[in-house]
Every structure is written in structure tokens, then in C-alpha cells.
């Protein structure tokens, strides 16, 4: 098994790391405190091709492999996972969904500007009563022949106010549950769409999150993705890809916290020596490094399976589960290592700890990932990778 990286992959990782360490760090704390959307950073990262990293160049994308994508998201997340969230939603959910299931006309009209970074997309699946149970959609799309009229509320929507295009899921027949769900491309400025207040979140505060209210929103039939009843299956397939991005975010958050803690431990002295020389601290750092490397290998495995057109849903669920749990554990330990300094904003690790929590919740909670893994083991008699 070859673990070496190509020159292109190394270049992508270095580009993301350089920008994060040089530019994102400058205003990360201020944006976190004020919940300011990183418009200029997203514009710059779009110029690097990061808003459509996985999209075919024929549709304005960079045509990169998923391992390059994982490494870019990891490096950005070491400094500010809010930035990575915006990029991940655009790449893994919206662009991926359009490229996989859109018509040629839909791709030219919507995918191209999203992949180039000229526009931003949002993924509208969650509802007040339909988070983990996505089949319980209550947003209704009534068929009127050449168009649909949509009514409902979508919750916890990343990029809700900054997006131009929404990939939205709605029910056409509640009695059919998942068999009645459809997917639609909806333009945000369509009449009848209003946003709820900006969510005052614990972490990922520089990404904008709102509820989206739809009141008699008219969507042309040509904006339906796939056929009636295909929506739920599409959403589940899209989320398999999205979980690789979230796993990479969690990996980066953990890695960023470990780097800060390691540097601090090599400078801070107590009892006449640097604290890294105290076994209590050294063992924490060693355990953190081992957990991060474990999560990284799972992320790379899921990415490799995807790039080689092999089933990767179970692997992406495992990567997300392990990486998000690792992020919480590592960031908590980093705060502990820094002591009082870890508890103040200036040293960044308290922000990383707050950001880490969301990776255990969105795009499928840790409990849902365990459910996916348990079901996979039942089907495959314990060996979930073969």
C-alpha cells in the first residue's frame, strides 16, 4: 500500500496551509466574536479553485482528487473551520449533488458559477422536526404541471444568506415518506423566500446559519433534480460525500489544537523545565497525535474509495465518527494543557473546542454514524470494508 502523495497533492496542501497560517489567522478571533461572514477570504480561496475542487473542469471546477480536498479542508480548519464549512457545503453537498444528478442544462446554469466560486450554494434538508429523521420532511411541493409551489421551513442552513442557489428537498406526498421526496434547485431571490434570524451559535460562528421560510414559492419544473421520489435517495448519497468533508474539518480542528498545545508545551516551564518534559503532559500529547493520525488514515481511506469508484458510504461514516470524537477529545486536552491561557480567546484553542462540537452533530450526528456502521456490519458479517 503506497502512502506517498503526489506533487500536486502536496502543492494543494501547502497552498491551503500557507493561506490559513498567513491570512485566516489575522481575523479569525474577530470574525468569531462578531459572526462576520468571511467574504474576502472566500473570494480569494475561490481564485485558488477551492470552491469547486472536485468538479470536472468542463463545468468550471478544479478536477482534483478527494485526498487533495481532504488535505485542503484539514489545513484551513486548523485555523478556522468556519471557512472550511462554507467551502465544504459548496463542494461536497451542492456541487456534488448537481454534478451527480443534474441535467446538462442545470449544470451549465447552476454548477458552473458555483464551481468557479462566482456564486455560493446551500443545502436545504433539515427541518424543525426532521433532522436525523430526514424522511419526515414536512416542506411540501405541490405539483402544478409546469411548476411546483413550495411551502415550509428549513432549519440550520449553512450559507443561507450568502448563497445564491439552494439545493432543496421537499415532500410531494407525506403518506409516501421517503418515496415522495423530491430535490429542487431554487434561487434565493425567488418571491416567497425569507430568512429567519442569524443563529447565534456556540461555534463555527463565521459561517452564516439561518432558517429558510418558503411561502408559496414557485419553482419551474425544469428545476427539479431527477424524478419525483428520487430526492431522499439523492440526499443520502450526497451526504455520504459530505461526511468526508466534515471528517476533514474535524481532523483539522484536532490538528490545529495539537499544534498549539505542542508549541506551548515546548516553551512553558514549570518546576524548572518545559512542561513537555513532564510525563503527564507528554503522554497527553502522544495520545492526541495517535488519535489524529488514526482519524487521518480513515479520512484518506474514505477519500481513496471515492476516487476509485468503490462504495465509500460506510468508510465516510466511520471517518466522520472517529474524526469528530477525536476533535472533541483533542481540543479539550489542548485547553487543559494550556491551563488558564487555554480558557481565553487569545490562544485560539477555546474556539477550536467550540467548533469541534458541531462536527459531532451536523451532516449526521455521531449516533447516526454508529447506526450506519451497525447496519453495515449486520449486512457484511462484521467486515465493513470488503
Amino acid at each position: 500500500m503506497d502512502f506517498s502523495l503526489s506533487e500536486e497533492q502536496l502543492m494543494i496542501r501547502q497552498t491551503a496551509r500557507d493561506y490559513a497560517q498567513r491570512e485566516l489567522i489575522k481575523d479569525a478571533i474577530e470574525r468569531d466574536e462578531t459572526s462576520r461572514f468571511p467574504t474576502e477570504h472566500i473570494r480569494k480561496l475561490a481564485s485558488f479553485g477551492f470552491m469547486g475542487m472536485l468538479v470536472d473542469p468542463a463545468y468550471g471546477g478544479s478536477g482534483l482528487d478527494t485526498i487533495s480536498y481532504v488535505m485542503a479542508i484539514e489545513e484551513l480548519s486548523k485555523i478556522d473551520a468556519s471557512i472550511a464549512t462554507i467551502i465544504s457545503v459548496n463542494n461536497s453537498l451542492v456541487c456534488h449533488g448537481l454534478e451527480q444528478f443534474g441535467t446538462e442544462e442545470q449544470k451549465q446554469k447552476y454548477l458552473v458559477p458555483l464551481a468557479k466560486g462566482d456564486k455560493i450554494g446551500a443545502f436545504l434538508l433539515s427541518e424543525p422536526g426532521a433532522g436525523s429523521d430526514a424522511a419526515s420532511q414536512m416542506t411540501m411541493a405541490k405539483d402544478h404541471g409546469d411548476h411546483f409551489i413550495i411551502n415550509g421551513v428549513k432549519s440550520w442552513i449553512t450559507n443561507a444568506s450568502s448563497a445564491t442557489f439552494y439545493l432543496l428537498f421537499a415532500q410531494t406526498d407525506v403518506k409516501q415518506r421517503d418515496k415522495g421526496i423530491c430535490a429542487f434547485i431554487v434561487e434565493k431571490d425567488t418571491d416567497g423566500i425569507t430568512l429567519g434570524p442569524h443563529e447565534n451559535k456556540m461555534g463555527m460562528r463565521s459561517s452564516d446559519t439561518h432558517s429558510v421560510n418558503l411561502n408559496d414559492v414557485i419553482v419551474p419544473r425544469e428545476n427539479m433534480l431527477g424524478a419525483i421520489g428520487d430526492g431522499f435517495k439523492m440526499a443520502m448519497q450526497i451526504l455520504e460525500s459530505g461526511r468526508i468533508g466534515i471528517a476533514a474539518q474535524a481532523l483539522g480542528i484536532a490538528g490545529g489544537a495539537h499544534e498549539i498545545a505542542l508549541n506551548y508545551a515546548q516553551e512553558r516551564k514549570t518546576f524548572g523545565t518545559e512542561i513537555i518534559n513532564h510525563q503527564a503532559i507528554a503522554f497527553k500529547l502522544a495520545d492526541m497525535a495517535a488519535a489524529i493520525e488514526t482519524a487521518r488514515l480513515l479520512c484518506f481511506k474514505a477519500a481513496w474509495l471515492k476516487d476509485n469508484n468503490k462504495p465509500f458510504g460506510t468508510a465516510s461514516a466511520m471517518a466522520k465518527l472517529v474524526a469528530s470524537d477525536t476533535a472533541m477529545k483533542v481540543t479539550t486536552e489542548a485547553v487543559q494543557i494550556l491551563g488558564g491561557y487555554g480558557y481565553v480567546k487569545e490562544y485560539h484553542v477555546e474556539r477550536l473546542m467550540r467548533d469541534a462540537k458541531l462536527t459531532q452533530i451536523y451532516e449526521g450526528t455521531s449516533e447516526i454514524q454508529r447506526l450506519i456502521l451497525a447496519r453495515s456490519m449486520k449486512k457484511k458479517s462484521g467486515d465493513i470494508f470488503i
Side-chain angles (χ1 to χ4, degrees):
M1 186 175 292
D2 186 2
F3 287 94
S4 60
L5 299 171
S6 69
E7 288 297 320
E8 182 180 57
Q9 289 169 333
L10 291 170
M11 180 189 70
I12 294 298
R13 183 175 68 182
Q14 194 62 47
T15 298
R17 182 173 180 82
D18 287 347
Y19 188 81
Q21 300 283 336
R22 186 181 66 250
E23 301 297 336
L24 294 187
I25 193 69
K26 292 178 182 178
D27 60 351
I29 293 174
E30 181 270 329
R31 284 185 289 101
D32 174 75
E33 291 179 337
T34 62
S35 296
R36 179 169 62 84
F37 188 80
T39 303
E40 292 304 317
H41 290 307
I42 294 300
R43 185 175 293 121
K44 184 64 175 180
L45 290 166
S47 73
F48 298 158
F50 280 17
M51 294 302 282
M53 293 186 74
L54 303 175
V55 177
D56 190 312
Y59 299 110
S62 300
L64 295 171
D65 63 289
T66 311
I67 290 177
S68 295
Y69 173 65
V70 164
M71 292 192 296
I73 293 294
E74 177 187 359
E75 291 300 332
L76 295 173
S77 298
K78 286 180 179 180
I79 300 299
D80 187 0
S82 293
I83 299 282
T85 296
I86 297 162
I87 293 173
S88 179
V89 167
N90 200 72
N91 271 282
S92 297
L93 300 183
V94 186
C95 285
H96 178 70
L98 289 172
E99 188 168 23
Q100 290 296 306
F101 304 112
T103 65
E104 184 63 27
E105 292 74 18
Q106 289 169 340
K107 291 176 184 179
Q108 292 294 339
K109 184 175 181 179
Y110 298 109
L111 178 58
V112 170
L114 289 170
K116 289 181 176 180
D118 296 336
K119 307 293 183 183
I120 296 176
F123 187 78
L124 278 62
L125 179 65
S126 293
E127 297 183 2
S132 294
D133 183 12
S136 296
Q137 298 281 303
M138 293 304 294
T139 296
M140 295 300 302
K142 190 173 182 180
D143 192 342
H144 287 262
D146 64 347
H147 68 276
F148 290 81
I149 296 181
I150 302 178
N151 286 278
V153 179
K154 294 294 181 178
S155 300
W156 317 115
I157 306 304
T158 300
N159 297 346
S161 66
S162 55
T164 302
F165 307 134
Y166 293 156
L167 182 50
L168 178 143
F169 297 84
Q171 182 63 264
T172 58
D173 186 347
V174 173
K175 293 179 181 178
Q176 294 192 50
R177 283 180 56 82
D178 60 298
K179 299 297 191 298
I181 295 173
C182 297
F184 301 91
I185 305 164
V186 182
E187 299 184 17
K188 190 189 75 173
D189 61 1
T190 304
D191 289 343
I193 294 178
T194 58
L195 301 184
H198 184 282
E199 299 291 355
N200 190 13
K201 308 190 299 290
M202 179 172 76
M204 306 282 191
R205 291 175 55 80
S206 190
S207 72
D208 69 285
T209 306
H210 300 255
S211 60
V212 178
N213 308 301
L214 302 109
N215 183 22
D216 290 339
V217 174
I218 298 174
V219 178
R221 194 173 198 89
E222 59 262 29
N223 279 31
M224 185 169 68
L225 210 62
I228 290 178
D230 287 349
F232 184 79
K233 181 172 64 175
M234 288 180 183
M236 296 304 102
Q237 291 179 14
I238 292 168
L239 286 172
E240 288 182 352
S241 174
R243 285 167 186 147
I244 297 176
I246 304 305
Q249 287 177 42
L251 175 63
I253 292 168
H258 184 261
E259 288 181 9
I260 293 170
L262 179 60
N263 290 334
Y264 180 83
Q266 294 179 97
E267 297 174 358
R268 170 69 167 164
K269 289 185 177 182
T270 63
F271 305 104
T273 187
E274 291 79 9
I275 63 172
I276 196 170
N277 295 321
H278 300 312
Q279 191 177 82
I281 301 301
F283 280 13
K284 283 184 186 293
L285 290 164
D287 287 343
M288 292 157 72
I292 290 168
E293 187 62 16
T294 300
R296 180 175 291 111
L297 291 172
L298 287 170
C299 288
F300 280 9
K301 178 64 178 290
W304 182 88
L305 288 170
K306 181 175 180 290
D307 286 338
N308 284 275
N309 298 311
K310 298 178 182 294
F312 64 90
T314 302
S316 68
M318 185 175 285
K320 182 182 184 297
L321 173 64
V322 172
S324 61
D325 283 353
T326 297
M328 271 313 309
K329 292 173 183 176
V330 168
T331 54
T332 301
E333 289 286 46
V335 170
Q336 191 70 18
I337 289 170
L338 269 68
Y341 294 109
Y343 205 65
V344 297
K345 294 182 183 297
E346 179 183 354
Y347 287 81
H348 297 282
V349 287
E350 65 83 30
R351 174 172 54 83
L352 292 171
M353 185 172 72
R354 289 186 283 108
D355 287 350
K357 186 60 197 173
L358 188 56
T359 65
Q360 294 180 311
I361 298 171
Y362 68 168
E363 292 191 34
T365 63
S366 293
E367 291 73 20
I368 289 296
Q369 307 316 310
R370 289 183 171 92
L371 180 62
I372 292 169
L373 295 175
R375 288 175 174 172
S376 179
M377 287 187 289
K378 287 172 65 177
K379 292 178 181 177
K380 299 183 180 180
S381 302
D383 194 334
I384 63 173
F385 281 113
I386 297 175

